[in-house]
Amino acid sequence: MESSEDEMEVDDTEWKQHLTDSLSKRPTPAHRVILHFDLDCFYAQVEMIRNPALRDVPLGIQQKYIVVTCNYVARQQGVTKLMSVTDAKQKCPQLVLVKGEDLTHYRVMSYQVTDLLLSFCPLVERLGFDENFVDITEIIQKRLTCTPVSSFKGYVYSTSTSFHPELALGSHVAAELREAIRDRLGLTSCAGVATSKLLAKLVSGTFKPNQQTTLLPENVDHIMGSLGGLRKIPGMYSKRLQALGLVSVSDLQLFPLTALIRELGSPCAAHLKNLSLGVDDSPVNPTGAPQSLSDEDSFKKMSCVKEVMDKIQQLLGSLVERMRKDGRQPQTFRLSVRKYSASNKWCSRESRQCPIPNHVGHKITSASSDDASAQLLSLAMKLFSKMVDTAAPFHLTLINVCFSNLQSRAPAASTRGSITSFFAPSACPQNPSQSPVAHSNVSYCLAVAALRKIIHREHLKNMKMTFPSLNNAAKSPIVRDAASPKAGPTQSTSSVPADASRPVTASRSSTCSDGGDADITATYRLPPNVDPQVFSQLPANLQTELIREWEQRRPIPKIPILSRKPGREAKDKKGTRRRSQANSLLDYFKPA
């Protein structure tokens, strides 16, 4: 007996040291203010908002043969949550039942509440449809200096003579948020104000409905000791703990830490011990978009393949519609079933999943949702056959369909065929003769270039003064041989790229600004990606402009120059690269 007491004393010393270390690493209670909001009889409130005539009558929300929740008028007459419909009718013959199996309206209202809280504070964490945690620590720190308070809003748990200004101001913020939820959405709620998520949740239900309660640090031991069973603490592994003979919170508080570590492992044992003492350092994790969407239905018995197909098709119809509104594309489909077992009626789920083909995923998020449902049904039945032997009798009590691995829809992999493709660097192929659409691409580029010149520039004037080389070329057409290393003084500096590969004769009559008509008939080596027929259809002044730009941008002939310095070539390449980056009409004629 003495040894056990010594062991208990050692365990308590070890646990106190562990608790001291954990408390020293986390913010002091006065530096954290956490709110927990719990909507009153949420499903019933949503139905009363949809139908105000139900406000003053006993109302129950029915799912299958269970009353999942009821309003407070029904509760005053003995109806409770999760009561069978038969028992509820016996308790309250006037009870009005509303089918609540379609969760659409509840889901929409739930996210409206979360969005409203997010408009006040970014640190909001959803917990089911009707609960939210809000971390207002930073808001309190900012408001405390300018708006000091001297009292609490709502109730204060137990009695205490001490005053905590952070929690007091937190109670005022909670009252403001509850009022906003009521005024904007028509919903009443309860709220808990404390220094952690666990304590805020535990204290929020102390006074109901439409009330709020603040828990002070000195009253933590009292509220933890009043809980009774371990199930009152969220996150408790009751079955594992019951096997150790732990039933109440006080049992866990007094249980030796070493024995708990031996059974559950050090991290889990420390976590559970912390919870039993009201120590919770978990942060409020802002809730983003859901990582999966699912829908399910439960029933007493389903043992026919045709019934299974009909039920899956029904569930897929609503789930695909939700997925389409969400906008993201699911990558994985999962099917879950619950088989009836006399020994384990409710915990025998089995699941199978498979990737969703990309073309089916696109249909889910597009207008072809009906076609998507049909193809998903085929996938679902393949998964079903892996879990259930349809050749033998089976007994199902639940079916669940789920979309997971949700991803934002990526842009189209290729823009081929769209108008933007003509402006891409690869719009004009290297060799037009190899591509059936090469001429049309170049034609489009030329047409765009012509339109830009007509809109943004006036017609070229004083051609002879501006382009003397072109004027001479019109009188004396000369073909420049870029491969020749020696150019005589009589050769004209024609406006043709050095890499030209074929001669083209363009005859065009051009009207100059001085009123004289000049026949510009010249032979040029056009770039290989330019259609000569299309080029010949352009106005003469635009042809001249293009040729001028080609001349300015023609690459330096690869002629060996002995006097060139080693570093000069690199500089010339850089200069050419910079010139090539300028926005110009010639860009539309660059080879791919």
Side-chain angles (χ1 to χ4, degrees), residues 261-274:
I261 292 176
R262 186 167 53 250
E263 294 293 334
L264 304 176
S266 180
C268 182
H271 175 68
L272 295 180
K273 196 78 169 181
N274 273 327

Side-chain angles (χ1 to χ4, degrees), residues 170-192:
S171 68
H172 286 258
V173 174
E176 294 172 8
L177 294 178
R178 288 177 51 243
E179 183 178 1
I181 295 173
R182 184 183 67 251
D183 293 344
R184 300 186 189 183
L185 301 177
L187 297 170
T188 63
S189 61
C190 294

Side-chain angles (χ1 to χ4, degrees), residues 134-148:
V134 184
D135 187 342
I136 60 171
T137 304
E138 292 187 6
I139 296 177
I140 295 301
Q141 292 174 351
K142 294 178 181 178
R143 290 180 56 174
L144 196 60
T145 57
C146 56
T147 56

Side-chain angles (χ1 to χ4, degrees), residues 16-37:
K16 289 179 181 178
Q17 182 62 41
H18 173 78
L19 179 59
T20 302
D21 294 341
S22 64
L23 289 175
S24 63
K25 295 178 182 179
R26 70 186 182 99
T28 58
H31 292 165
R32 291 191 73 195
V33 181
I34 309 297
L35 307 181
H36 174 259
F37 293 94

Side-chain angles (χ1 to χ4, degrees), residues 8 12 15 221-233 236 241 245-256 260 272-273 275-278:
M8 180 74 73
D12 290 343
W15 169 244
D221 292 341
H222 186 276
I223 192 172
M224 298 306 299
S226 65
L227 292 179
L230 288 172
R231 290 182 176 272
K232 296 294 184 68
I233 300 180
M236 282 293 180
L241 297 176
L246 304 179
V247 179
S248 65
V249 175
S250 60
D251 291 340
L252 180 56
Q253 291 175 341
L254 299 175
F255 194 76
L260 198 61
L272 295 180
K273 196 78 169 181
L275 292 181
S276 68
L277 296 172

